[in-house]
Amino acid sequence: MNYVEMKRIKRITFHSLISELKKSSNYIITDNKFWLCFSPRNISLQLPSVGFKIHLSATLNNATDILDKFWHYIQHKNIAWKVIQDFRDLERQNLGYNGYSQIGKFITIYPSTQNELLQLLQDLEIIYKPMKSISIPSDYSYMNSQVVYYRYGDIQNEGSTESKYVDKRNRTIPNNVTIPIDDYFIPHFHELPSCLYLCGIHHISGKSSVYTAINLEAASTVILKEASPLHDLDIHGVDAINRLHHEKIILKKISKFSFAPKFLSDFYIDDHYFLVMSKLPGESLFSLLKNGGKLSIKQILFIIRKIICIVHTLQKQGIQYSDISLTNVLFDQKSVYLVDYEYCQLNSGLNLPEILAGALGFYPIEYPFNDIKRTIYAIAALLLNIEFFDDYSRILYQDSENDMYKRIEDRFYKSSYFNKIYDKAFTFNYTNLSEFLAELKSTVRHYTSE
């Protein structure tokens, strides 16, 4: 097959998809020969005259795929949008025939509210994460996406000489406009800022890398977390960078509490994302026990009670913590701290697509709900794996998920004073944290009085 024939097939495929979209009954569709404009049929949208809009970039090779993915995402949402409807026009657009500022603009989306803007940006960045396209000179890339861009400009009178807003088609936002997009304010560098000096490595993995650094300007030790694009990619398309962005949101929300690290700053180095946070005292329970440390019953009860208190505090802030494990609990003999907030869910606000997150052995495989019963399961698993650390450590290094959960099914802990608590937690029979804590205290009183 020669070049001309290959290009013809791509054009036919694209136009076939456009023809299918024109049959939609969900939209009022306007054809202005260049753009095909879609407005929801059953709702009257109140769009601002000027504001933020989203552009999706495309090339001749990926335009059909980009449009197909977008159609499946958008067709049942009450959002106005438009698309270049002719394959040849897209080619001319990307060659700059319609002006340098128009290069790359394939689909334009008009959010009607700030929340809608933020949700669309988040969702579309995840959808198009693996894809590359041509850059849009007049727009800002969202989270380094090579498909999803945004800009401030005309909406109702786009392209009209009647607009009172002077759209210079350059990549600027007026000084009097409040910018709700957090990613806009994150600095972009090509190397580590000179104020930070790396002095240690906690771990390097496919999930994220964690370093100790010295902030030379503040003369303080900080923790630096690095997330790489497409690392730890889940089935929804969420990667380590998305989760680290989400952790930033959580840390800013709970900044007044001492049990969590403080968010200090963030930045990109090329396409890698870095989060700088305060360094907490103490050692992870996993490291403490792995290195031969021992915990008394009194210390174990203290730790579990503190974790319950932290989780309760988070819930009052509208946050569901979903990654309790030995590595995420720090202890310094006086206080307990909780780290790693990447998998938290907010009761209100933007959330990443939910998964059954957690360290191996700390979450139920067959339980589909991210609720208080699952949290109690994780806290009980924390108690179990402290009490039987050698057993937990052995199975962990074998990386055997079946063995990890079979031991619970077989009730290997039958000789433990906490066996009734484990039974009840692992079968989701606690209804709240207070009930769980009361029975834990009762068991310990009985245990220590013997």
Side-chain angles (χ1 to χ4, degrees):
M1 185 183 300
N2 62 33
Y3 179 83
V4 173
E5 182 65 16
M6 289 173 62
K7 190 172 181 180
R8 187 182 72 84
I9 290 174
K10 286 183 180 292
R11 184 171 66 248
I12 291 172
T13 303
F14 177 78
H15 288 159
S16 176
L17 177 57
I18 290 290
S19 296
E20 287 300 312
L21 268 53
K22 287 181 176 180
K23 299 174 184 178
S24 173
S25 59
N26 296 328
Y27 291 95
I28 298 171
I29 302 173
T30 306
D31 184 344
N32 74 359
K33 304 306 180 184
F34 185 86
W35 296 103
L36 196 62
C37 305
F38 294 78
S39 180
R41 182 175 296 279
N42 298 320
I43 186 171
S44 177
L45 291 179
Q46 300 299 316
L47 296 176
S49 58
V50 295
F52 287 96
K53 51 192 172 184
I54 299 170
H55 287 120
L56 301 184
S57 173
T59 68
L60 297 183
N61 287 330
N62 65 20
T64 301
D65 194 19
I66 284 176
L67 179 56
D68 184 60
K69 289 179 183 296
F70 180 73
W71 178 247
H72 282 91
Y73 169 76
I74 204 72
Q75 63 176 307
H76 297 299
K77 298 181 184 296
N78 293 318
I79 296 170
W81 60 282
K82 66 182 182 181
V83 61
I84 294 176
Q85 61 175 311
D86 189 278
F87 196 73
R88 300 175 187 86
D89 284 338
L90 175 61
E91 182 175 25
R92 297 185 186 101
Q93 179 98 323
N94 286 348
L95 287 171
Y97 286 16
N98 301 319
Y100 182 70
S101 68
Q102 299 305 299
I103 292 173
K105 295 177 180 178
F106 171 53
I107 295 174
T108 305
I109 309 151
Y110 301 101
S112 57
T113 67
Q114 177 177 306
N115 288 341
E116 197 168 78
L117 167 71
L118 298 178
Q119 188 71 63
L120 282 164
L121 285 171
Q122 175 178 285
D123 292 350
L124 293 170
E125 187 276 332
I126 290 171
I127 289 170
Y128 295 110
K129 189 183 300 294
M131 302 182 71
K132 294 183 178 182
S133 197
I134 188 170
S135 61
I136 302 178
S138 63
D139 288 22
Y140 296 92
S141 167
Y142 181 69
M143 289 181 63
N144 290 326
S145 174
Q146 296 190 42
V147 174
V148 184
Y149 294 80
Y150 64 92
R151 73 185 307 270
Y152 186 87
D154 279 318
I155 292 181
Q156 287 186 2
N157 298 304
E158 185 169 22
S160 170
T161 57
E162 298 176 2
S163 173
K164 295 179 180 180
Y165 170 72
V166 180
D167 189 347
K168 297 180 180 179
R169 299 291 178 183
N170 55 7
R171 203 164 67 96
T172 59
I173 299 173
N175 293 332
N176 62 343
V177 172
T178 300
I179 303 171
I181 303 165
D182 179 75
D183 190 67
Y184 173 85
F185 299 98
I186 301 175
H188 287 250
F189 305 123
H190 295 298
E191 59 185 20
L192 193 68
S194 58
C195 65
L196 294 174
Y197 174 77
L198 292 184
C199 56
I201 299 174
H202 281 264
H203 72 263
I204 297 178
S205 71
K207 177 183 177 184
S208 61
S209 300
V210 182
Y211 311 92
T212 302
I214 296 174
N215 185 323
L216 300 175
E217 293 178 350
S220 62
T221 302
V222 298
I223 294 296
L224 187 64
K225 292 183 75 171
E226 174 190 13
S228 304
L230 299 180
H231 280 217
D232 196 25
L233 190 71
D234 69 25
I235 60 172
H236 297 295
V238 175
D239 68 0
I241 293 179
N242 295 119
R243 295 191 191 97
L244 199 52
H245 269 273
H246 190 66
E247 180 167 17
K248 169 188 173 179
I249 294 170
I250 303 298
L251 291 181
K252 291 178 75 172
K253 190 175 178 64
I254 59 173
S255 60
K256 65 182 179 181
F257 300 106
S258 61
F259 58 75
K262 304 285 187 264
F263 164 77
L264 300 175
S265 64
D266 60 342
F267 53 87
Y268 291 102
I269 296 181
D270 296 326
D271 59 355
H272 289 225
Y273 176 63
F274 291 80
L275 189 64
V276 185
M277 63 188 75
S278 62
K279 187 178 187 301
L280 294 173
E283 182 180 12
S284 77
L285 293 182
F286 183 85
S287 176
L288 187 155
L289 296 169
K290 180 176 178 290
N291 294 326
K294 300 295 182 182
L295 294 170
S296 67
I297 290 296
K298 184 177 180 181
Q299 287 175 314
I300 294 173
L301 177 62
F302 174 78
I303 291 169
I304 299 300
R305 289 177 64 181
K306 286 294 184 182
I307 290 297
I308 291 173
C309 181
I310 290 171
V311 168
H312 181 63
T313 300
L314 290 172
Q315 289 177 336
K316 287 197 294 185
Q317 299 300 310
I319 299 168
Q320 177 75 28
Y321 187 89
S322 302
D323 198 11
I324 293 170
S325 71
L326 291 170
T327 55
N328 289 343
V329 177
L330 308 185
F331 180 54
D332 68 353
Q333 307 300 319
K334 297 179 296 183
S335 300
V336 174
Y337 308 91
L338 193 60
V339 298
D340 281 358
Y341 291 81
E342 298 177 12
Y343 291 95
C344 288
Q345 291 282 309
L346 295 166
N347 292 345
S348 61
L350 286 181
N351 281 310
L352 296 171
E354 188 174 349
I355 63 172
L356 291 179
L360 186 62
F362 288 88
Y363 66 96
I365 298 175
E366 301 298 334
Y367 187 74
F369 309 108
N370 193 353
D371 59 14
I372 190 61
K373 293 184 178 182
R374 185 167 176 268
T375 301
I376 292 173
Y377 181 106
I379 298 173
L382 183 70
L383 176 63
L384 176 76
N385 292 324
I386 292 173
E387 185 179 8
F388 297 98
F389 180 76
D390 290 341
D391 173 80
Y392 167 76
S393 183
R394 174 181 57 81
I395 299 176
L396 181 67
Y397 282 110
Q398 293 172 351
D399 195 28
S400 174
E401 187 174 72
N402 288 336
D403 288 348
M404 185 68 76
Y405 292 99
K406 190 174 186 303
R407 67 192 189 124
I408 291 177
E409 293 174 5
D410 293 344
R411 298 185 69 247
F412 84 100
Y413 50 77
K414 288 190 289 287
S415 61
S416 170
Y417 282 93
F418 301 114
N419 67 79
K420 292 182 180 178
I421 287 177
Y422 294 143
D423 282 345
K424 194 169 179 178
F426 295 151
T427 53
F428 313 106
N429 285 313
Y430 285 109
T431 57
N432 56 65
L433 288 168
S434 298
E435 180 188 357
F436 175 74
L437 180 59
E439 292 197 8
L440 182 63
K441 288 179 179 178
S442 176
T443 301
V444 171
R445 280 197 297 269
H446 175 74
Y447 177 69
T448 55
S449 65
E450 289 189 346

